[in-house]
Amino acid sequence: MLNQEKNRSEILLSIAMITYNHENYIRQALDSILMQNVDFQYEVIIGEDCSPDNTRIILLEYYDKYPNKFKLILRDENMGATKNLYDVLMKCQGKYIALLEGDDFWTNSDKLQLQVDFLEEHNEYTGVSHDFEYVNKNGEHTSMSNENGSDVDKEFTMNDFTKWEWPIQTATLVFRNFFINNKYEDFRIIYTAHNLMADRTLAMLILKRSNILIIRKVMSAYRYILEKNGTNYTSKFEMPTKRKEKVKITIRYINMLERYLKSCSNYNFEDIKLQYVCERIIITIKSHTFDSVKDLTEILRMVSIKIKLLSFCYILKLIATFPLRKLKQYMSNPKEL
């Protein structure tokens, strides 16, 4: 009973939000916070990264209505997504942290209570997540994260992470605030590893401490926006024309996470790096252009000798077995050839 009373009077949860150019979405994100049914105190810390649109005006409007809920950090200059997030996280005072970006939103009013209660009752977990839905720029449903419809809670492990599996999303996470009074870890990896992407970095920091439980309940929406001149990560790196750039940036990012992990464990990302390199070798062979060779050379510089050798051995095996595979395909269905 004493702990419950304490939780009601002190900040138990910090909601960390970053936003940039979200004037069309930020109201829905903020309203999804305000609709939460909780029996504890929380703070909302928002880093507004000098948006050229009306995002800041909308935030100030909400601040005027709810001055005790929102703590606004209004940037004079654009810091970039991951530096902005790092600064916000370092200012979180709650025992737990929930994440929500300005273009996503929560869909269940009991989300925060459910996740905080879980962490309060399960000390063996540092973080807890849940299923989510994908929506388009208009907020219309497109797909689900839990494609097979499983109703069994799942654990996301470091082994899953090093295979580059990604069953969670930023707005689904609530985790213990391990940033407070922690003088032994350098959390600048949040922004030094990548200037736009920090969700995987945060997951790595959580998974260093424990597995993440994924509750089989849809409680948030991830706005998947793919636009030619978009400023979000998806638009910048998921466009077909950006594929080559994405591979380079991802390998560089993986290398930085791997170096960080090696300071405390033996985890590596060899499987995913091998996959990326083999993919670029095949593209180079198919295109036989100077640019593709140059691109492959740059990527090979970023990986170890072991990955280089494994990649070339894999490609040689593919080439050597190509006639046999074609023969098997012909025997099974000659009309396809």
Side-chain angles (χ1 to χ4, degrees):
M1 179 65 73
L2 186 62
N3 286 337
Q4 289 179 350
E5 292 299 325
K6 185 178 180 181
N7 289 348
R8 291 191 184 100
S9 62
E10 296 182 3
I11 292 173
L12 186 65
L13 174 75
S14 297
I15 299 170
M17 174 184 280
I18 59 170
T19 182
Y20 177 75
N21 268 10
H22 290 154
E23 66 175 359
N24 294 326
Y25 317 118
I26 191 68
R27 291 183 189 278
Q28 191 171 20
L30 297 175
D31 288 342
S32 76
I33 294 173
L34 293 170
M35 77 173 187
Q36 293 297 307
N37 295 320
V38 296
D39 64 4
F40 53 80
Q41 293 295 318
Y42 64 86
E43 63 178 357
V44 186
I45 303 178
I46 305 175
E48 196 288 303
D49 205 13
C50 199
S51 302
D53 66 1
N54 292 318
T55 300
R56 181 169 298 194
I57 293 172
I58 296 169
L59 287 175
L60 289 169
E61 174 190 320
Y62 274 75
Y63 177 77
D64 287 341
K65 289 181 180 178
Y66 309 99
N68 296 325
K69 287 285 185 191
F70 297 107
K71 298 179 181 179
L72 304 184
I73 305 169
L74 306 176
R75 312 290 183 195
D76 295 326
E77 296 180 355
N78 181 268
M79 296 179 68
T82 53
K83 271 193 175 182
N84 188 12
L85 178 63
Y86 171 81
D87 183 62
V88 169
L89 290 172
M90 295 305 110
K91 290 179 168 60
C92 290
Q93 294 300 306
K95 180 180 178 182
Y96 304 110
I97 295 176
L99 301 171
L100 182 64
E101 295 183 359
D103 55 347
D104 300 325
F105 56 96
W106 295 329
T107 58
N108 187 305
S109 59
D110 296 320
K111 168 199 153 68
L112 293 181
Q113 187 70 58
L114 190 154
Q115 289 182 278
V116 167
D117 284 348
F118 176 85
L119 291 175
E120 287 281 271
E121 295 166 8
H122 296 84
N123 291 325
E124 69 273 24
Y125 287 99
T126 302
V128 59
S129 178
H130 54 74
D131 288 332
F132 61 95
E133 64 174 318
Y134 292 89
V135 298
N136 61 22
K137 65 186 296 183
N138 299 316
E140 299 163 338
H141 171 84
T142 58
S143 61
M144 306 295 289
S145 62
N146 183 11
E147 293 179 346
N148 60 11
S150 171
D151 59 359
V152 179
D153 292 349
K154 172 185 170 62
E155 284 199 342
F156 182 41
T157 69
M158 186 66 88
N159 280 328
D160 298 327
F161 180 76
T162 57
K163 295 173 185 173
W164 221 232
E165 295 180 17
W166 194 237
I168 64 176
Q169 190 270 329
T170 308
T172 68
L173 275 171
V174 174
F175 59 96
R176 300 183 191 279
N177 187 354
F178 44 77
F179 302 116
I180 291 181
N181 300 324
N182 190 335
K183 300 177 181 179
Y184 304 101
E185 288 185 70
D186 184 359
F187 295 116
R188 289 176 298 178
I189 186 71
I190 291 169
Y191 67 85
T192 56
H194 203 292
N195 67 331
L196 279 176
M197 184 165 62
D199 49 1
R200 290 180 186 266
T201 313
L202 278 173
M204 177 192 73
L205 294 173
I206 297 169
L207 290 168
K208 274 180 58 181
R209 294 161 167 82
S210 78
N211 295 340
I212 298 172
L213 186 79
I214 303 174
I215 299 171
R216 289 307 188 194
K217 191 170 186 176
V218 176
M219 294 192 283
S220 68
Y222 168 50
R223 204 180 300 269
Y224 186 86
I225 302 173
L226 194 61
E227 295 178 324
K228 187 175 181 180
N229 297 313
T231 58
N232 59 316
Y233 174 83
T234 308
S235 296
K236 281 183 174 292
F237 297 110
E238 296 292 343
M239 298 290 284
T241 55
K242 298 287 187 179
R243 178 61 183 164
K244 180 172 67 175
E245 184 180 0
K246 180 189 176 185
V247 171
K248 292 180 185 177
I249 290 173
T250 302
I251 291 180
R252 187 180 300 116
Y253 178 51
I254 288 171
N255 282 338
M256 290 197 71
L257 296 189
E258 188 174 57
R259 284 196 293 272
Y260 189 91
L261 275 180
K262 282 185 176 178
S263 65
C264 60
S265 67
N266 294 318
Y267 287 106
N268 62 63
F269 294 83
E270 290 185 352
D271 289 343
I272 190 67
K273 284 190 280 188
L274 180 62
Q275 177 184 317
Y276 272 121
V277 173
C278 288
E279 177 184 313
R280 297 313 303 181
I281 292 175
I282 291 171
I283 290 173
T284 303
I285 292 172
K286 285 182 176 179
S287 60
H288 20 117
T289 65
F290 175 76
D291 285 341
S292 63
V293 173
K294 180 182 176 183
D295 177 50
L296 175 61
T297 303
E298 290 178 8
I299 290 170
L300 288 173
R301 288 196 192 106
M302 302 169 70
V303 298
S304 65
I305 294 175
K306 179 181 178 181
I307 297 297
K308 292 184 180 73
L309 291 174
L310 287 173
S311 300
F312 285 113
C313 287
Y314 178 78
I315 298 300
L316 287 173
K317 181 181 177 182
L318 281 182
I319 294 171
T321 58
F322 180 77
L324 181 61
R325 285 184 285 113
K326 274 295 181 184
L327 179 60
K328 287 182 178 179
Q329 184 181 357
Y330 176 76
M331 294 298 290
S332 61
N333 193 354
K335 290 183 180 180
E336 290 185 3
L337 297 181

